[in-house]
Amino acid sequence: VGLVMLAIGVLAAVFAPYLAPYDPVQMRLVDSRLPPSLAHPFGCDELGRDILSRVIYGFRISLTIGAISVGIGLAGGVVMGAAAGFFGGWVDLVVMRVVDIMLSFPAILLAIVVVVVLGPGLANAMVAIGVAQVPSYARLARATVLKWKSEQFVEAARALGASDVRIIARHILPNCVSPLIVESTLAVATSILSAASLGFLGLGAVPPTPEWGVMLSRGQTYMRIAPHITVFPGLAILVTVMAFNLVGDGLRDALDPRML
């Protein structure tokens, strides 16, 4: 079910220019707050823009945010965690104290701090969300490296003269792929939620970008008289996050031998 939901979202993102019935940023004030109809299945927002078109283009933005944010968090966290777990000593102490400091802030608060420093905008929001995810990847990578670094095949590679970097990259990290894949899938859902939160607060995408959080923020004023302006973007967030969580749970069951 999660894969089907996710596949629909990916197809909507890829073929957005062909699926969207209208230009997502074109304003038509005569259609302001128009309720759902055959011409506009999701209705129109306060500026007369077609909500269905904006939701479809929102898939593209949200999936991009999720992929890039997870990539940033994965790259930074794996490097830090692998170094801490493999070398130990003062490297482990310094890296994990930095991780502990980052974990002392709620992820969304840490993302807000980074956005405030860098400035609002979609690119800065992706960087902020990625930085906020570094600690979880660092702890996961460290735990997995600690599990594998004392195995005999690692000792054999060291005895053959392999460098530390080669041992980590060729012999240890490939065994860490399964938990990282599961964590990354679940983290995409978190990234989409965080991006929507930043957009809702005015710290993410800048209008008129058809981003779901921005759409929720703009539509909250009209909840009583035009609830469709917020209902459909909210449902899009709900369905997308649920899809990634279902896929992540399925991957965990498939890749974790303890679940067999």
Side-chain angles (χ1 to χ4, degrees):
V1 172
L3 281 174
V4 170
M5 296 163 63
L6 186 57
I8 293 174
V10 171
L11 289 175
V14 173
F15 297 103
Y18 306 101
L19 296 176
Y22 301 94
D23 187 334
V25 298
Q26 182 179 4
M27 296 182 293
R28 185 177 173 83
L29 296 179
V30 70
D31 292 334
S32 177
R33 302 192 300 273
L34 191 71
S37 62
L38 291 178
H40 302 277
F42 286 4
C44 297
D45 63 10
E46 73 281 2
L47 297 177
R49 296 172 297 196
D50 182 67
I51 295 178
L52 175 59
S53 301
R54 292 177 64 77
V55 167
I56 291 175
Y57 273 88
F59 277 107
R60 174 176 292 186
I61 295 174
S62 294
L63 293 179
T64 301
I65 291 173
I68 295 178
S69 300
V70 167
I72 293 173
L74 181 64
V78 167
V79 170
M80 293 173 61
F86 186 82
F87 295 108
W90 67 268
V91 176
D92 186 21
L93 180 65
V94 171
V95 170
M96 296 316 295
R97 293 300 76 77
V98 172
V99 169
D100 288 340
I101 292 172
M102 296 178 70
L103 286 174
S104 65
F105 297 92
I108 187 62
L109 180 59
L110 182 59
I112 290 174
V113 171
V114 175
V115 169
V116 170
V117 172
L118 298 177
L122 193 58
N124 292 341
M126 290 187 287
V127 173
I129 297 169
V131 170
Q133 292 182 354
V134 166
S136 60
Y137 283 110
R139 297 183 69 177
L140 179 61
R142 176 180 179 271
T144 312
V145 169
L146 286 173
K147 174 184 176 182
W148 291 102
K149 76 171 187 177
S150 59
E151 294 292 328
Q152 292 184 355
F153 65 87
V154 175
E155 297 296 333
R158 183 178 289 109
L160 291 172
S163 64
D164 291 339
V165 174
R166 181 177 178 84
I167 291 174
I168 294 173
R170 295 293 301 273
H171 300 282
I172 296 180
L173 287 184
N175 292 290
C176 306
V177 169
S178 295
L180 290 175
I181 290 176
V182 175
E183 177 67 20
S184 298
T185 305
L186 297 173
V188 172
T190 303
S191 299
I192 293 174
L193 275 177
S194 299
S197 300
L198 292 175
F200 185 85
L201 296 173
L203 298 174
V206 179
T209 304
E211 195 273 324
W212 295 333
V214 175
M215 296 169 67
L216 287 174
S217 178
R218 298 295 297 270
Q220 65 174 331
T221 307
Y222 307 97
M223 276 295 294
R224 290 181 179 273
I225 59 176
H228 62 276
I229 298 178
T230 54
V231 166
F232 291 109
L235 286 176
I237 296 173
L238 171 65
V239 171
T240 305
V241 171
M242 183 184 298
F244 276 105
N245 283 331
L246 290 174
V247 172
D249 288 341
L251 287 174
R252 181 186 60 190
D253 295 342
L255 297 178
D256 190 347
R258 294 172 297 180
M259 304 295 293
L260 297 177

